[in-house]
Amino acid sequence: MIPSFDSLGLADNIIKGVYAYGFERPSAVQQRAVLPILKGRDVIVQSQSGTGKTCVFSLGALSAVSVKDRDPQVLILSPTRELAVQTHKFCLELSHFVTPKFQFCCLVGGDAMEDQFEMLSHNPDCLVSTPGRLQHILAETQLGLGRVEYVVFDEADRLFELGFAEQLRRILHGCP
């Protein structure tokens, strides 16, 4: 029997978003990784491009927030501006049916800081960011990471290859 997204233990409103996005069945990596993530386990996913890794951690992110809070509860760190913007867009589309509305904020270099401060004033549930811009925002604002429950290093190998190790350590130091 081929598993469905219904069998992965996701909330109905998240499943609705998955099907609305156009997914029909979970890929092999999704079948193996989603359930351990939902159980709160640390997971490392390594597979080829196009196998559904972004969907895996996005489903985990949408499932991680149970109560709205002033501070973000999900942090997704990407090595490049382009990847962060792409991930942000995907998460927005996947969360279409989640209620109460799941708020995302994309923090990347090249975008106006004032616009990003405005987005932060809406108390996002999830930050999708590059390490450098997040550190800059943390230094300039009262943004706290003390409620973060779910952290993703998207393309972790690239994050480290590009020399972000120390920035990642400093960011994680602010998380529980």
Side-chain angles (χ1 to χ4, degrees), residues 99-112:
T99 55
K101 184 89 173 118
F102 200 90
Q103 297 291 324
F104 292 91
C105 180
C106 188
L107 304 172
V108 294
D111 288 353

Side-chain angles (χ1 to χ4, degrees), residues 112-127:
M113 292 287 287
E114 296 78 23
D115 293 344
Q116 292 179 358
F117 292 148
E118 171 65 23
M119 286 188 293
L120 287 169
S121 73
H122 297 290
N123 302 319
D125 303 296
C126 175
L127 301 177

Side-chain angles (χ1 to χ4, degrees), residues 8-90:
L8 296 181
L10 298 163
D12 290 340
N13 56 2
I14 296 173
I15 292 170
K16 200 174 192 182
V18 168
Y19 290 133
Y21 189 82
F23 290 110
E24 295 178 13
R25 289 183 186 82
S27 67
V29 71
Q30 292 162 348
Q31 291 173 43
R32 286 190 298 267
V34 170
L35 193 55
I37 288 172
L38 294 179
K39 290 181 177 181
R41 293 193 183 129
D42 291 340
V43 175
I44 296 173
V45 176
Q46 182 179 13
S47 66
Q48 294 179 329
S49 293
T51 58
K53 295 181 299 289
T54 301
C55 184
V56 167
F57 68 72
S58 298
L59 293 172
L62 291 172
S63 300
V65 176
S66 56
V67 177
K68 298 290 278 181
D69 196 356
R70 284 186 44 93
D71 294 321
Q73 296 175 57
V74 175
L75 177 59
I76 300 172
L77 294 165
S78 298
T80 65
R81 176 188 200 288
E82 294 76 19
L83 184 58
V85 169
Q86 177 185 335
T87 298
H88 178 250
K89 181 180 178 207
F90 179 80

Side-chain angles (χ1 to χ4, degrees), residues 5 77 100 132 150 157:
F5 282 98
L77 294 165
Y150 185 80
D157 54 341

